[in-house]
Amino acid sequence: MNEVKIKFIGASGEKRIEATANVGDNLLTIAQVNNLPLEGTCEGQMACSTCHVIVDANDFDKLPEASEMEEDMLDLAAGVKRTSRLACQITLTQDMDGLTVRIPSESHNMQGF
């Protein structure tokens, strides 16, 4: 099986989108394809924090540890939680099937999500 399901939850918790992705896809790309308000200004170069997401606590251990550089970028993000990550740094694996991420309330919501 090469597909994984990802659930995105809007900042208010009301709006939910379930997306299908392929193993090896980047979480930021999947979010953008599904019109979610994750800007990704630096296009995955870890020079900003505009793709900040909050990973569900039950799914956080499915992810590899954040690099020191990612942790430094998260220090610049608004509304950071213990399970915060940069979506550009998450490459989907089969183990991430069912991953749930929340869009932080501090995100600029240009698409009304």
Side-chain angles (χ1 to χ4, degrees):
M1 177 194 249
N2 289 326
E3 287 189 343
V4 292
K5 300 279 189 197
I6 307 297
K7 185 184 297 179
F8 294 96
I9 302 174
S12 67
E14 295 172 11
K15 192 157 188 178
R16 296 168 185 255
I17 291 178
E18 188 169 296
T20 301
N22 292 312
V23 169
D25 285 347
N26 179 277
L27 186 62
L28 174 59
T29 302
I30 299 306
Q32 290 175 334
V33 165
N34 285 277
N35 297 315
L36 298 170
L38 293 181
E39 193 173 338
T41 302
C42 72
E43 299 179 355
Q45 300 302 307
M46 258 197 307
C48 72
S49 59
T50 60
C51 67
H52 168 223
V53 294
I54 301 167
V55 178
D56 185 275
N58 294 325
D59 293 331
F60 192 69
D61 288 339
K62 294 178 181 179
L63 305 178
E65 282 191 37
S67 68
E68 187 175 331
M69 191 172 174
E70 181 179 356
E71 293 285 351
D72 289 345
M73 283 292 105
L74 284 168
D75 287 343
L76 303 175
V80 173
K81 307 288 185 213
R82 185 187 66 78
T83 60
S84 289
R85 293 294 302 266
L86 298 179
C88 71
Q89 296 303 301
I90 299 173
T91 301
L92 299 172
T93 66
Q94 192 63 56
D95 292 338
M96 294 178 198
D97 188 39
L99 184 71
T100 300
V101 296
R102 180 180 295 270
I103 306 300
S105 59
E106 295 81 5
S107 290
H108 290 283
N109 190 344
M110 303 306 282
Q111 288 116 346
F113 187 81

